[in-house]
Amino acid sequence: MSVLDLVPIVVGGTAADSFRNSLELAQHVEKWGFHRYWLAEHHGMPGIASSATSVVISYIASGTSKIRVGSGGIMLPNHAPLVIAEQFGTLESMYPGRIDLGIGRAPGTDPLTARALRRDFQRNGDDFPELLDELCSYLNPPSFDNPRVRAIPGEGLNIPIWLLGSSGFSARLAGELGLPFAFASHFSPEYTLPALEIYRSSFRPSEILDEPYVMVGINVIAADTDEKARWLATSQELQFLNLLRNQPTPLSPPVENMDEIWNDYEKVAVKRQLSSMITGSPETVKEKLQAFLDVTQADEFIIHTQVFDHKARLRSYEILAQVVMGK
């Protein structure tokens, strides 16, 4: 059990508030026994504060002591691979044995912002394998070569690389390279099982893994009652609805009745995108997580909990620690 944090900015809050809340959450889930804490790269999103992902990783790692901290993920086409090798080499040198490098190929933003990030406007992610190979060459240069371009710090450090995906592209690549794979079921639920099948069927043992290793991202909102969990979940439904309307906003407070806000088409679209979301009381969440595990056979869940009230978010992860991990 791990944690995915988008560092939500809520209505009436600031990015500074969000960073403090994320650090408090990281400190709590470390005590509760969660395995890793990942931050995700997004840009130009009024409700997400983790755009400078490597900086936020350092902030979280400096305030914790044991939990693994990493990216879920770094969108590699936005960056020169050498820069990422240096950044994560720096992080691993500061916090040895605790840093993960999860990599995705999407822009994590809109086309205009992607262009402002100096990302080639014509790129569609097809060169991702070449970018990944370049990144790996800086972290683990061939012993017979004498590279003129070096990542220092970074070179020779054991930084676990994960491939992230919401379709079959990265699933197949991760399998062929023998890398661990994390699937974004929290926003692409319909492709979960096909992508996991592609990964497992294309897997080739490597120096890193003898057999496939799957982590699945999933939205979970746990509360003391089913009714309260469903009410808390309306904040995330509102966030997806606003994205559907191309009007991204900070995370809104929960509402009593979503049917007064969305139309029938919007309701179907949001419900489809959040169809794997699990909400409920401790007993309900435990039962639904077990059913999801039975279907996916995941080795690890990375839990995303997007709720307006910070104390409710802490409580949700506390419930998971109690009912799933017996803490």
Side-chain angles (χ1 to χ4, degrees):
M1 295 285 287
S2 296
V3 176
L4 175 63
D5 183 9
L6 270 60
V7 194
I9 303 173
V10 303
V11 170
T14 66
D17 298 328
S18 301
F19 295 135
R20 287 190 291 268
N21 288 341
S22 288
L23 180 57
E24 184 180 7
L25 175 60
Q27 291 167 340
H28 277 280
V29 297
E30 181 175 66
K31 294 176 183 176
W32 294 331
F34 285 80
H35 185 50
R36 64 182 96 239
Y37 195 100
W38 278 8
L39 292 308
E41 178 187 348
H42 292 79
H43 298 278
M45 308 280 281
I48 298 176
S50 52
S51 55
T53 316
S54 299
V55 178
V56 185
I57 289 171
S58 184
Y59 174 65
I60 296 297
S62 70
T64 53
S65 59
K66 297 181 296 184
I67 195 168
R68 299 192 65 86
V69 188
S71 58
I74 288 289
M75 301 297 109
L76 190 56
N78 291 342
H79 310 276
L82 177 61
V83 171
I84 298 305
E86 291 174 337
Q87 288 179 357
F88 277 77
T90 300
L91 289 167
E92 175 63 24
S93 299
M94 290 177 170
Y95 314 105
R98 296 181 56 207
I99 300 299
D100 296 324
L101 175 50
I103 300 171
R105 71 185 186 103
T109 189
D110 61 90
L112 287 177
T113 305
R115 192 169 192 174
L117 287 164
R118 304 297 186 267
R119 188 173 184 266
D120 187 338
F121 195 63
Q122 301 301 318
R123 279 181 175 169
N124 58 10
D126 288 344
D127 62 345
F128 179 71
E130 289 75 24
L131 295 174
L132 175 62
D133 185 63
E134 183 182 348
L135 171 64
C136 292
S137 73
Y138 296 134
L139 295 175
N140 299 291
S143 58
F144 56 82
D145 200 1
N146 184 22
R148 298 178 65 182
V149 179
R150 302 174 64 184
I152 300 174
E155 185 178 288
L157 296 181
N158 183 24
I159 304 171
I161 291 179
W162 293 67
L163 292 196
L164 281 57
S166 58
S167 64
F169 185 100
S170 292
R172 186 175 305 280
L173 183 61
E176 291 173 349
L177 297 177
L179 293 173
F181 177 60
F183 186 81
S185 188
H186 58 293
F187 67 81
S188 187
E190 294 179 336
Y191 295 100
T192 304
L193 296 183
L196 298 189
E197 171 59 28
I198 289 171
Y199 170 64
R200 288 169 173 144
S201 63
S202 62
F203 184 84
R204 300 172 186 168
S206 67
E207 293 181 0
I208 299 166
L209 288 177
D210 294 327
E211 55 188 28
Y213 191 96
V214 166
M215 178 161 59
V216 177
I218 182 170
N219 297 301
V220 179
I221 297 175
D224 293 319
T225 66
D226 290 341
E227 293 75 20
K228 184 174 182 180
R230 277 294 313 134
W231 176 70
L232 291 170
T234 59
S235 292
Q236 188 165 16
E237 291 174 340
L238 283 167
Q239 190 172 51
F240 272 83
L241 175 62
N242 290 331
L243 286 173
L244 181 66
R245 292 173 173 176
N246 199 27
Q247 298 172 343
T249 62
L251 189 65
S252 301
V255 297
E256 296 297 334
N257 187 0
M258 284 294 297
D259 288 334
E260 295 177 353
I261 301 172
W262 54 23
N263 60 39
D264 291 341
Y265 165 78
E266 292 170 333
K267 180 177 181 178
V268 169
V270 172
K271 291 289 188 181
R272 180 185 297 119
Q273 196 153 24
L274 295 175
S275 61
S276 67
M277 182 163 68
I278 292 174
T279 64
S281 65
E283 297 77 13
T284 300
V285 166
K286 184 176 182 179
E287 179 182 340
K288 290 183 177 180
L289 270 177
Q290 182 62 57
F292 194 64
L293 177 61
D294 292 342
V295 171
T296 61
Q297 293 295 299
D299 299 287
E300 189 171 339
F301 285 151
I302 187 161
I303 306 297
H304 176 235
T305 299
Q306 194 84 326
V307 295
F308 178 82
D309 182 73
H310 178 57
K311 286 185 169 56
R313 188 160 70 134
L314 292 175
R315 176 61 179 149
S316 181
Y317 281 106
E318 182 181 16
I319 289 172
L320 283 173
Q322 291 169 344
V323 302
V324 177
M325 298 186 287
K327 299 294 182 180

